Structures are given as C-alpha cells and as structure tokens.
Amino acid sequence: MKRIAIVTGATGGIGGIFVKMICLMDDIDEVWAIGRNKDKLDSLCAVSQKVVSVTADLASDGTDVISSLISERSPDVRILVNNAGTGYMGLFEKMEKDQVRDICRLNCSVPSELISVTLPYMHEGARILNISSASSFQPNPYLAMYSASKVYLKNFSRALNVELKSRKITATAVCPGWVDTGMLPRTKDGKEIKYAGMIDPETVVVKALKDSAKGKDMSVPGAFAKYFRFYSKITPTNIVMSQWSRSIRKYL
Ligand SMILES: NC(=O)c1ccc[n+]([C@@H]2O[C@H](COP(=O)([O-])OP(=O)(O)OC[C@H]3O[C@@H](n4cnc5c(N)ncnc54)[C@H](OP(=O)(O)O)[C@@H]3O)[C@@H](O)[C@H]2O)c1
C-alpha cells in the first residue's frame, strides 16, 4: 500500500513548498499535487519522482476526481494538506455571485469533503493540515467572507483534532499572517501595498509540519501573527475591526 500525501493548491506559493518539503520525508512514497494549472504541476513533477500531478478545479468537480482516485488506488493517506484557498478584498456588496460561491466552496466545503473521503484511508499517525489564516482571529471588514471562511476552517480543525484523538490522527489549523506569495496584490492604483510582518512561505510550512507532528491543533507562524492573536483576544472586537478597517480602506 502506497503511503501518500495530498496537497491542494500545490501550484501556489505555500502549496508548492509543502509539496517540496513532504517529498523529502522518507515515510512518504507519493505526493499528490492538486492544482488547476497543468504547466505549473509539470514543473513540480520535475522536483521529485514522488510527485503525482492531479489536474482538478476544486471549485467545480475537483473533490470527485480525488475521491475516485483514492477509491481506485486505496492508498495509506499519511498527510492531507487542505491549502487551496481564495479570497476577495473589498465590499461584500461588490462581489459577484460566483465569487461568493467559490469562497464558500474552496475554503470550507472542499477541505471538509476531502477530509471525509480520506479519513477511511488514514491510520494512526496520519495528519490533516488545514490552511486557515490570522484573519480567523477576528472579523475583517472588506475581507468579510474570507475571514469568516477561515474561522470555519480553524474551528473545524480544532474540534476534529479532539474527535480524532482516539484514532491518533491529528488536525491542525495553520494560521499565518501575511505571506509572500502570489495571492497578495502588490499595488493598488499605483500605490504600493504594505503588508505588516510579512513572512515567507517556507517559514509557514516548516512550522506547520513541526506543529502537526506534535499534535498541535493550531500553528501560528511568525511574531506578527502570534502578537495579533494575543492582541485580538485582549482587545474589544469593535476596536480591532475599526483599526483593521482604517489600515485597509486606503487600498480599496
Ligand atoms: N498569502 C497570504 O498572505 C496568506 C495568509 C494566510 C493564509 N493564506 C492561505 O494560504 C493558502 C495558500 O495561499 P497562497 O498564499 O499560497 O496563495 P497562492 O499562491 O495564490 O495559491 C493559492 C492556490 O490555490 C489554488 N486554487 C485557487 N482556486 C482553485 C480552484 N478552484 N481549484 C483548485 N485550486 C485552486 C491555486 O491554484 P491555481 O494556480 O490554479 O490558481 C493556488 O495553487 C490559501 O488557503 C490562503 O487563504 C495565505
């Protein structure tokens, strides 16, 4: 039975690093790299013979593709990284219906469905990593759906970590602040956007893998996200929201 890892959003900044680092693990035979962009997936395959590329649009029928592959091959799923995600910065009322649907689907339904289809193929020591965000620490106006979707993923992971204890399977919510990837726009109307405490994706992935190996239900990489988590706990939510709104409104 092949010991596999599954990484969604493998073509992106954080996902690509997860694929590369998991390929280095001796106890993993294959890393299923899931993404929409075939060329980017092909270049990941060049990194290691362990990479198996799976082209799928998770916002449409992607979980069906993965679930058929799993039932066909019956692997031992050692690691599942639910990393693919999407967001929208701006007023909720300006969002298209498809954008609203995709955020719910990609950030909430897809990870839940993938956990549901992989759990029967997981055994003692298996790990689930769900990429949430520091946006889950408080409601974020102008990033309203994104931050709400990340709360879902954080709370779901933590509860699941308790439920799965008896099977010795862990679930970890990974909650970074700003990460230097293609997800973040760099300019708005010619103005440079500044991201406080931005960290690189390697820092996120190294800590996430360490924390999940320890069975932690949360992984918060970088001093900024740690501080922000603490600050959001001790400060009234309306104050945190208005400070956030002031800092972000100039870029909208
Ligand atoms: N960057 C940050 O500041 C930050 C902070 C906290 C949390 N996060 C979270 O980290 C995760 C990874 O983001 P990232 O920063 O690495 O951004 P990224 O480089 O833009 O990667 C996003 C990944 O999601 C994939 N994806 C998007 N829509 C998809 C769909 N419909 N079907 C399949 N895959 C899809 C993208 O694939 P394509 O190449 O096909 O578009 C890409 O591989 C996300 O969940 C994000 O919310 C990011």
Side-chain angles (χ1 to χ4, degrees):
M1 206 193 314
K2 287 238 166 89
R3 299 161 303 173
I4 71 152
I6 300 173
V7 180
T8 68
T11 52
I14 296 175
I17 303 292
F18 265 115
V19 171
K20 288 174 190 161
M21 291 201 177
I22 295 172
C23 279
L24 300 174
M25 295 178 179
D26 292 336
D27 58 347
I28 297 291
D29 303 314
E30 284 182 355
V31 180
W32 294 8
I34 322 290
R36 291 179 296 187
N37 185 318
K38 194 174 171 330
D39 291 341
K40 284 190 191 167
L41 287 175
D42 285 346
S43 54
L44 268 180
C45 289
V47 168
S48 163
Q49 288 183 340
K50 288 185 182 180
V51 179
V52 175
S53 75
V54 181
T55 313
D57 183 348
L58 293 173
S60 52
D61 57 353
T63 59
D64 293 340
V65 173
I66 300 164
S67 109
S68 318
L69 264 180
I70 287 176
S71 47
E72 197 180 286
R73 302 190 186 174
S74 287
D76 174 6
V77 181
R78 305 298 302 154
I79 301 176
L80 169 65
V81 185
N82 278 308
N83 165 72
T86 189
Y88 175 90
M89 194 178 277
L91 288 170
F92 173 79
E93 63 181 340
K94 299 268 189 218
M95 287 176 74
E96 302 288 337
K97 186 166 110 331
D98 286 358
Q99 292 174 309
V100 170
R101 188 207 52 207
D102 283 357
I103 291 183
C104 284
R105 175 115 190 86
L106 203 62
N107 297 9
C108 303
S109 311
V110 164
S112 315
E113 285 174 30
L114 285 181
I115 292 168
S116 164
V117 301
T118 51
L119 265 177
Y121 297 86
M122 289 185 175
H123 306 98
E124 185 174 327
R127 328 191 220 161
I128 299 163
L129 292 93
N130 293 320
I131 313 308
S132 174
S133 166
S135 294
S136 67
F137 300 155
Q138 71 294 307
N140 286 137
Y142 312 108
L143 207 55
M145 273 200 78
Y146 179 80
S147 78
S149 71
K150 295 299 186 181
V151 172
Y152 171 89
L153 212 44
K154 182 186 72 181
N155 286 358
F156 178 46
S157 310
R158 300 188 75 182
L160 206 55
N161 195 52
V162 173
E163 287 187 26
L164 294 173
K165 227 162 217 136
S166 59
R167 285 184 61 190
K168 297 194 166 58
I169 295 171
T170 62
T172 307
V174 180
C175 300
W178 304 114
V179 187
D180 192 0
T181 71
M183 179 175 256
L184 303 180
R186 298 307 150 124
T187 56
K188 176 81 181 171
D189 302 331
K191 270 188 272 178
E192 190 197 343
I193 304 179
K194 295 198 175 75
Y195 295 102
M198 187 156 76
I199 55 175
D200 57 50
E202 286 81 2
T203 306
V204 177
V205 174
V206 168
K207 179 157 176 57
L209 288 171
K210 267 190 197 152
D211 286 339
S212 85
K214 287 180 192 158
K216 291 191 177 176
D217 62 357
M218 277 182 76
S219 177
V220 182
F224 178 77
K226 278 192 188 74
Y227 166 76
F228 200 48
R229 183 182 180 201
F230 173 71
Y231 181 74
S232 304
K233 271 187 187 165
I234 61 161
T235 311
T237 303
N238 59 347
I239 293 178
V240 183
M241 283 199 293
S242 69
Q243 288 169 334
W244 159 264
S245 298
R246 262 202 309 281
S247 73
I248 214 73
R249 234 185 250 127
K250 58 180 176 279
Y251 299 119
L252 301 174

